[in-house]
Amino acid sequence: MNKRDDHPRPCQQPIAGERSEPLPWQIPKAAEEDPEAPQRLKKILSSASYRQADQDVDFLNQDELRAFRLQVDFFKAEQALIENQVNNTIVVFGGTRIKEPGEAKRKVDGLKAALASKPDDTHLHRKLRVAERIYAKSHYYNVAREFGRLVGASRQQARERACVIMTGGGPGLMEAANRGAYDTGALTVGLNINLPYEQFPNPYITPELCFRFHYFAMRKLHFLLRAKALVVFPGGFGTFDELFETLTLMQTRKIKQAPVVLVGECFWKDAFNVDFLIDEGVIDPEDRDLFWYAETAEDIWQSILDWYNINGAPLL
C-alpha cells in the first residue's frame, strides 16, 4: 500500500445552513421567459387552495370539519393540564356581576349622586335598586377568595392529590376564587369561552392554565373531568346552566356523585325551589340530597372534606 494511503482521508460532512446553490424550485419563473408568469404565480400563491391546510382558518371553520375542531378544542387544554399535573380540581361558579365590596359600593354611591340631580328618573331608581342588591351580595367575593386560599393552601398537605381551583375564568366571583388560590402561590385554572363580545380572563389565573374554548361542550367536559367538588355561588344563566347540568348527570348516575355546595342559602332557596319540584313530582325526594348549602369559606371546605371522609375516600 502506498504510504500516503495508510490513513484514510476524513469524510467531508456537509455544513448545516443555507445551500450555496439554490434548488430549481426556489427560483420563480422569470418574466424574461414568460412576461405573464409573475402575475400568474402571484394569483396561485394567493389562492385559498394553496394555503397549507392546518393554517387555513376558512377551511378549518367549515361545518364538515366540526368533528376535528371538537377534538383539538378538547385536546389542547387536556395536554396542558396533564403537563402541569393537574389531576384534581375544585370547580367554582358564580356571577360575573358580583364584584368586590369596594367596587360595588362605588357603583351605589355613583348612582345616588346621579339621582340627586335627577330625582324623578325612574331608570336611575331601578339601576340603584339593582346596584344595592349587588352590593348586598358582594360579601360573597370575600367568601370565594377565602375559599380559594383554603384550597390553594391544602396542596402542602395533599401533595400529589392536591386540588386545584378551576373556574370559568371571568370576573366577579370566579375571579375571587382564582385570586384566593393565587394568593397562596398555587396553580389556578380558568376555562374561558370565545364569545361575540370579547371576554377578558381575570388576572389571577396561572398563564399556562388559562384556556379559551370554541365549544361550550368541550369546556363543560373539562369542568367535570377532574372535579372533586362543585361550589356554586349566586349567579345568572351561566351559573344555573353549569349547576343543573351537573345535577342532572349525578341524578342519572352518568357521572359519579361528588359534593355540590350552593353558597348562600337565602339566594338559592328563592332562585331554585327544590321542594316545589318534589311536591310536583318532577324529581324525587332523594334528589334533594345531591347538594347542600353553606355560607362561609370554612364551612364549604370542611363540608367537602367531611363528605369524602364519610364515603371512605379522604380527599387529602
Side-chain angles (χ1 to χ4, degrees), residues 46-64:
S46 63
S47 69
S49 65
Y50 190 75
R51 292 180 209 145
Q52 190 170 302
D54 61 353
Q55 298 174 12
D56 188 343
V57 176
D58 293 332
F59 170 73
L60 295 174
N61 282 331
Q62 292 181 94
D63 288 345
E64 293 80 0

Side-chain angles (χ1 to χ4, degrees), residues 67-84:
F68 170 75
R69 294 198 301 274
L70 283 161
Q71 286 181 317
V72 295
D73 210 34
F74 168 78
F75 188 69
K76 182 177 180 181
E78 178 69 5
Q79 188 176 46
L81 290 166
I82 291 171
E83 288 175 353
N84 285 276

Side-chain angles (χ1 to χ4, degrees), residues 16 41 58 92 119 138 189:
L41 181 59
D58 293 332
V92 179
S138 65
V189 183

Side-chain angles (χ1 to χ4, degrees), residues 251-263:
Q251 178 198 50
T252 58
R253 303 302 190 264
K254 186 69 175 176
I255 62 174
K256 291 182 180 179
Q257 190 170 345
V260 177
V261 186
L262 306 188
V263 185

Side-chain angles (χ1 to χ4, degrees), residues 106-127:
R106 286 192 292 273
K107 184 70 175 291
V108 170
D109 292 342
L111 287 167
K112 284 182 177 179
L115 269 171
S117 58
K118 296 181 180 180
D120 298 325
D121 191 322
T122 56
H123 181 63
L124 279 177
H125 275 286
R126 182 190 175 282
K127 289 183 72 174

Side-chain angles (χ1 to χ4, degrees), residues 178-247:
N178 286 131
R179 188 174 184 177
Y182 172 85
D183 291 340
T184 70
L187 295 177
T188 177
V189 183
L191 307 187
N192 291 75
I193 187 77
N194 185 31
L195 298 171
Y197 298 96
E198 185 175 3
Q199 175 191 193
F200 289 101
N202 72 65
Y204 305 106
I205 303 166
T206 301
E208 297 79 16
L209 295 171
C210 187
F211 308 105
R212 184 171 64 167
F213 290 86
H214 180 80
Y215 293 103
F216 273 100
M218 292 300 102
R219 182 181 186 237
K220 289 178 177 181
L221 179 56
H222 274 297
F223 275 135
L224 295 181
L225 198 58
R226 294 168 169 81
K228 293 299 181 180
L230 181 72
V231 178
V232 192
F233 286 83
F237 287 160
T239 302
F240 276 66
D241 175 42
E242 302 295 350
L243 169 62
F244 283 109
E245 181 163 47
T246 301
L247 291 178

